[in-house]
Amino acid sequence: MSSDAVKKRKPKVIRSEAGAPETKRGRAEGDQVTYPAGPHLIGQRKLFTAKNQDVRVYNEEVELEVRDPQQDYMLYKDTCAALAKLMEEIQELKAGGAKVQSVEIEERRTQCSVHFITLKKLNRLAHMRLKKGRDQTHEAKQRVDVLHLQLQNLLYEVMHLQKEIGKCLEFRSQHEEIELVSEEEFFQEAPAEISRPHVTRDDQHQLTLARLDWELEQRKRLAEQYKMSLARKEKIQKAIEQKREYLSSLQPGLQNIMQASLPVQEYLAIPFEHMQKQAEVARHLPPPLYVLLVQAGAYGQACDKNLSVSISGDVDEAKALSRPPEDSQGTSVGATEHSQTLIFFSSVQLDDKRKEMLRRHPLSLCVDLKCKDGSVLHLFFYYLMNLNILTVKTKVSTTTDLSGAVSAGELLNSESLLNCLYASDHGKETPNPANRYQFDKVGITTFGDYVSDLGHPFVWVQKLGGLQFSSGGAQSGLTGSALSASHMERTMKLLRGRLQARLALHKQFSSLEHSIIPVSSECQHLFPAKVVSGLVRWTTMSCQEFTELGFVQHVLKAGLVHETDLFFMATVERGTARLRAAVVMNPRYPDVAPLFSLSLHWKGERSGRTDDNLQAMESEVNVFRSELQGPRPGLQLLTNQIQRLCVCLDVYLETESQVCDGSEGPKEFPREKMCLRTARGPSRLKPFKYNHPQGFFSHR
């Protein structure tokens, strides 16, 4: 059978408008559709009748419902076996010499085709059966999903009902939060129409309702009492306000009386009111601050009218500290402090321990030193209770604006203003040796980390407070007020001198930054009338920048530079020559003169280590300072040194030979200074000493 016949096995059925099926075009209306059947193919045909026409249509789905899968499987095996047998017979016939188109081979080939058709039918039935099984499985799964969804809905409803039941069981009425009177008190105090003992003793619910009614009655009664109390309170407040207004009307009159008496107190120099208030507060000062208050006040009254002392701080907190604890009676102060320290260290953390260790007394002293120009040095003294030392902070108030000079920024800095007031007293470490062991307990490595917040513990500050600690130096044997009095006058003079020196330097730096060297009229005789070299630059620099300069290494090796010093760079020029001067200024200026190191850039670079004349110039400004001191207290020393440096540079350049042919006078720098001799000795030193009033330069 050909493949065309197989393709025409299942024709399309076309239904007319009346519903009768019609066969494909080209086929007669009365034709009957038939299909070949194999020897083992058992099929069924379904007959559709439309009006008077009989149309037979083959439907495999209907056939699939009545076929047994097991029988189809057996049919598949038999068909495969028969097909294999026919193939073997065809192979034998071909091997026996039969022709390809012989009748035997054609018959067997036809039978094989029928068997192939049977296999294809079985394949289709298998696929249809598989599809049907999948559809049935999908339908069953959908039914299971529907049932599962219904189950979830039921479980959710059950859970919701359980929550509602739990809420109902956990419901608490507001009356349970009300503190009702006890049952015995209720039956004793409540009237019979509310208590109803014959009903409430046997019914707990009625008992609760009755107790609530009684509570409501009591609260109504208390509310009425509260309203009456408020009305009475308002009356009392009105009376208080009337009395307060009366007292307030007296206050202005009393203040006027007090103000009227103030001029009398000031005229007689007996400020009773201020002294009385300060004496009351002074009772709560710690002993070192009290000693300082008394001695500073006494010195101000006797020797310095421009010195004033005042107390500031929280007086209430100081009173709380001075009040002894209740359980401290019968014990020594040292034992009390020791026990309090042990309790403290065992109860707080390390940071809290440090804060408590560095705690300041709530009261402090302010000492004001006023100068003639109106500037004031404010000294704030604090007492560290656990360390038993005094610290000081500073502040400067001036009548003029001091923000013009950039290089003078460190002069009035509160951190460095009082450095080395006495020699080697830097104020970075505590002078009390016992503090070292206290710091080890709380993990403090150095007190210098807290100086900016707590103040500087200078040795002279301790002595002003009557504190003296054992150290390597000799002890004076004085303590308390005697020790404070022995250092008070000198210290106050040093403080006022330090402020005057820094203010004078501030004014001088402002002029130096504008390339102006201020020379007072008292010092004009120290220099010739005409000085050609001039200052072109004046700047400040750090200690690290100073140490990196090559021409100052000999000063560093000699140990003449300290971290507390101030460092500056001055540049002096004349023509092509440029002289750089590194200046080291000690905090104790002018008692300690500034130190100059020189470097000349002219026909190469020279310094005091390579040029004897530059070394002689350094000696003129560093060694012979007494000539440049000027009138006491010598505040013009720095500017006089710079002016002397300019004069020496003129002498150096004018006397330096620039030609080798023996002609007289340099070409670039004409000689304007009168010198007896231009050079002397093997080192050819130049005459740098100026002789007044003759006006010539000579050798030393």
Side-chain angles (χ1 to χ4, degrees), residues 530-553:
K530 183 178 181 181
V531 180
V532 182
S533 299
L535 179 70
V536 296
R537 189 179 182 187
W538 173 265
T539 58
T540 182
M541 58 181 174
S542 62
C543 180
Q544 182 178 0
E545 294 174 345
F546 179 84
T547 55
E548 293 175 356
L549 298 176
F551 58 92
V552 300
Q553 299 304 317

Side-chain angles (χ1 to χ4, degrees), residues 370-485:
K370 189 175 181 180
C371 299
K372 295 180 180 180
D373 58 355
S375 59
V376 182
L377 175 62
H378 306 279
L379 300 172
F380 304 96
F381 294 90
Y382 305 95
Y383 177 67
L384 305 185
M385 298 181 291
N386 293 320
L387 301 182
N388 190 29
I389 59 174
L390 288 175
T391 60
V392 64
K393 284 187 174 183
T394 61
K395 180 182 177 183
V396 177
S397 301
T398 59
T399 56
T400 59
D401 185 16
L402 299 179
S403 60
V406 178
S407 59
E410 293 295 326
L411 291 179
L412 299 179
N413 188 359
S414 59
E415 297 295 328
S416 60
L417 178 60
L418 300 183
N419 281 347
C420 300
L421 188 66
Y422 288 88
S424 302
D425 190 2
H426 304 292
K428 297 295 183 182
E429 295 296 336
T430 170
N432 188 355
N435 297 154
R436 180 69 271 162
Y437 301 97
Q438 293 176 296
F439 291 162
D440 292 340
K441 292 182 180 180
V442 296
I444 297 177
T445 56
T446 175
F447 187 77
D449 298 337
Y450 306 91
V451 164
S452 59
D453 296 330
L454 301 177
H456 294 265
F458 295 108
V459 176
W460 58 267
V461 176
Q462 317 306 319
K463 292 181 179 180
L464 291 183
L467 298 175
Q468 186 171 8
F469 304 101
S470 58
S471 59
Q475 301 294 325
S476 62
L478 301 177
T479 58
S481 299
L483 179 63
S484 176

Side-chain angles (χ1 to χ4, degrees), residues 636-651:
Q636 295 290 327
L637 176 60
L638 175 64
T639 54
N640 291 342
Q641 286 179 305
I642 298 176
Q643 186 73 358
R644 171 66 66 86
L645 194 62
C646 295
V647 173
C648 292
L649 180 61
D650 285 344
V651 174

Side-chain angles (χ1 to χ4, degrees), residues 29 86 116 122 130 160 168 250 258 280 284 317 344 471 485 511 521-522 540 557 594 609 625 673:
E29 294 180 357
L86 288 174
F116 274 118
L122 291 175
L130 177 61
H160 177 69
C168 294
L250 294 178
M258 295 297 296
E280 181 66 24
H284 306 287
E317 187 177 355
F344 165 74
S471 59
S511 299
S521 58
E522 295 86 354
T540 182
K557 293 179 181 179
R609 300 299 94 190
R625 54 158 291 186
K673 305 295 185 296

